[in-house]
Amino acid sequence: METVSAPARLEAFAHRDGLLHCERVPVTDLVARWGTPLYVYSAGAIRERFAELDEALAPVPHMIAYSVKANGNLSVLRTLAAMGAGADIVSGGELHRAMLAGIPPERIVFSGVGKTIHELAAALQAGIYAFNVESEGELCALSDLACTMGMRAPVALRVNPGIDSPTPHAYTRTGHAATKFGIPAERARDLYCIAAKLPGIRVRGVDVHIGSQILSVEPYLRALEHVTDLALDLRREGIELEYVDLGGGLGISYEGGEGLSARDFAEQIVPRVQESGLRLLVEPGRYIVGAAGVLLTRVLYIKEGGGKRFVITDAGMNDLLRPSHYAGWHAVEPVVASGRARGQVDVVGPICETGDFLALDRDMEIPRPGELLAIHTVGAYGFSMSSQYNQRPRPAEVMVDGDTATLARRRETLDDLVAAETGI
Ligand SMILES: Cc1ncc(COP(=O)(O)O)c(C=O)c1O
């Protein structure tokens, strides 16, 4: 019997001859051109992850609405748009980006607990696929607005199924009862009945998002069961839904392992979606881009004291917030393997906050000032959560595709820091 082996995975970031490469480009070339701190993304890795999920879900009619908040760089969005991705947006700004990148409006869903009237109007005007409505107030405001615009707004209610999904940090749990997100399970049916009668609303689907960085399929199965039961109930009331949106949150490995696999996810989810007769939407962000990015930073100083060895770098919490905000863990390694002695270090940034660190108590080859470090798995919630805190211009972003590197966002300048102010 012929055995078909799975295609080899792209090694998006790997050391070759002791030097870290992104695809076929030595990252030192990128630093020589664009400096540090520098975000570097692999287009191949982004495509590969999208394709994996898309193929796994192929047996059921589906749409992957990439969650723009994870990484909204236009080059990332264009790469995904070319693969047929849709977008999950949470603001007018993300709508603007998604449309600029060529994501068709009929593939855009609008999530978020506090959409303004202006944002709702822009999305209605654009003709998006659906609004994920999170409260009765929003539902009524959207209906009124749609009526004044002579339209009907396509809607899914985001239902909160009361599932306390096991995410690594409380801030990324959104499916339990006491969260600001979604419509409480016990209110969902009534609100659908109200929605079905509102003149400016067209009920289209049901939406659920139970959290982020979820590593097992089981909470998704429970959420799916909850909303497909609801869809059945609604059918009996004469309210027919077209689709179920299972949200995002598919977890990845920050330590270099597998994370939640698209195949396992699909194997368990797809048959149940098929039974329901609904179309499936998913809103992954981190799953698609998380492992497709590194942050390159230069060591400024090494400092010892109080039993600690601090490696002080030119990237700080304003460039990468995850470690201090969510206790996010990222692998850190020298860009050029030195073979030098290892030791325990804290990798910290230059910001005037004790919470400004990138890695704590890490065993690594002890670097020297001037050397480069790579902080891994920062493609999601890296640049997109960055700020100019301490008046630090944000880093540049580079997209690598094979042996070609393209500047995806230039480094901000000191003038950019004051450009929007009137007191110049
Ligand atoms: C409604 C919604 N959808 C999708 C996502 C994407 O999550 P992830 O990047 O973990 O897939 C989020 C993340 O916060 C979200 O709030």
Side-chain angles (χ1 to χ4, degrees):
M1 201 176 82
E2 201 183 332
T3 52
V4 181
S5 52
R9 283 254 171 100
L10 174 81
E11 265 206 293
F13 297 98
H15 275 87
R16 259 171 255 136
D17 300 323
L19 173 61
L20 185 68
H21 285 62
C22 175
E23 302 198 21
R24 292 201 293 277
V25 180
V27 299
T28 41
D29 289 4
L30 306 176
V31 170
R33 247 175 115 182
W34 290 298
T36 56
L38 184 68
Y39 274 97
V40 179
Y41 309 125
S42 155
I46 294 171
R47 287 193 204 102
E48 189 173 80
R49 291 292 273 187
F50 182 87
E52 250 172 39
L53 187 57
D54 203 29
E55 279 159 30
L57 298 178
V60 75
H62 69 276
M63 177 167 86
I64 301 176
Y66 165 70
S67 196
V68 173
K69 68 168 82 67
N71 186 331
N73 185 286
L74 289 174
S75 299
V76 171
L77 298 181
R78 285 213 171 91
T79 303
L80 288 165
M83 306 275 299
D88 163 50
I89 58 162
V90 289
S91 66
E94 288 190 354
L95 174 66
H96 182 59
R97 270 183 184 278
M99 305 255 297
L100 266 181
I103 297 180
E106 62 274 14
R107 285 199 219 131
I108 296 178
V109 293
F110 195 169
S111 302
V113 71
K115 308 173 191 80
T116 67
I117 285 294
H118 298 294
E119 289 174 322
L120 293 171
L124 261 176
Q125 198 63 54
I128 66 166
Y129 183 79
F131 294 83
N132 291 334
V133 167
E134 298 220 18
S135 64
E136 187 166 354
E138 182 189 343
L139 183 69
C140 295
L142 182 57
S143 176
D144 291 348
L145 177 69
C147 288
T148 61
M149 292 171 72
M151 301 171 88
R152 291 188 94 161
V155 155
L157 296 188
R158 174 169 171 182
V159 177
N160 180 350
I163 292 172
D164 201 359
S165 48
T167 69
H169 197 279
Y171 290 179
T172 53
R173 247 162 266 161
T174 58
H176 55 293
T179 153
K180 70 175 180 179
F181 297 107
I183 287 152
E186 63 280 6
R187 279 285 293 145
R189 198 171 155 280
D190 286 354
L191 208 52
Y192 267 106
C193 294
I194 292 171
K197 293 194 190 99
L198 285 173
I201 298 294
R202 173 177 153 228
V203 172
R204 203 164 181 192
V206 60
D207 170 49
V208 66
H209 171 79
I210 51 177
S212 203
Q213 185 56 8
I214 298 169
L215 288 163
S216 87
V217 186
E218 195 271 334
Y220 285 104
L221 282 172
R222 279 195 283 152
L224 179 60
E225 192 181 328
H226 185 96
V227 291
T228 49
D229 284 354
L230 175 65
L232 267 180
D233 239 24
L234 293 173
R235 186 174 290 161
R236 285 191 279 270
E237 299 284 331
I239 301 170
E240 200 66 49
L241 302 185
E242 287 169 44
Y243 73 88
V244 51
D245 180 343
L246 264 187
L250 284 82
I252 62 173
S253 166
Y254 281 90
E255 291 88 22
E258 171 70 273
L260 181 60
S261 93
R263 204 189 44 238
D264 290 349
F265 179 78
E267 257 172 28
Q268 299 185 60
I269 295 293
V270 162
R272 317 236 173 148
V273 176
Q274 280 170 326
E275 272 166 35
S276 74
L278 299 168
R279 183 186 194 208
L280 175 65
L281 264 64
V282 283
E283 302 169 355
R286 185 191 318 263
Y287 176 87
I288 309 259
V289 293
V294 297
L295 174 61
L296 303 174
T297 180
R298 201 175 282 286
V299 176
L300 298 175
Y301 308 105
I302 307 282
K303 174 169 157 177
E304 291 181 18
K308 285 265 186 196
R309 184 186 282 119
F310 296 103
V311 173
I312 302 167
T313 61
D314 68 359
M317 66 187 287
N318 72 300
D319 305 303
L320 178 65
L321 187 60
R322 291 191 73 262
S324 55
H325 186 53
Y326 295 132
W329 189 97
H330 293 272
V332 181
E333 62 174 357
V335 161
V336 181
S338 68
R340 251 184 254 128
R342 300 180 75 88
Q344 194 154 326
V345 303
D346 282 2
V347 182
V348 300
I351 302 251
C352 300
E353 298 278 349
T354 305
D356 176 28
F357 54 84
L358 302 172
L360 296 179
D361 298 325
R362 231 25 107 68
D363 177 69
M364 62 184 286
E365 280 176 15
I366 297 167
R368 293 194 178 147
E371 292 181 350
L372 294 170
L373 299 179
I375 301 155
H376 283 271
T377 328
V378 298
Y381 308 104
F383 188 92
S384 67
M385 292 180 92
S386 67
S387 74
Q388 298 169 332
Y389 184 44
N390 273 207
Q391 289 307 292
R392 289 164 47 82
R394 272 175 291 206
E397 295 171 283
V398 170
M399 179 70 90
V400 173
D401 196 353
D403 52 16
T404 308
T406 313
L407 186 63
R409 190 183 207 271
R410 67 164 171 78
R411 184 174 304 285
E412 288 182 353
T413 63
L414 297 181
D415 283 342
D416 288 329
L417 295 176
V418 292
E421 291 180 36
T422 55
I424 304 171

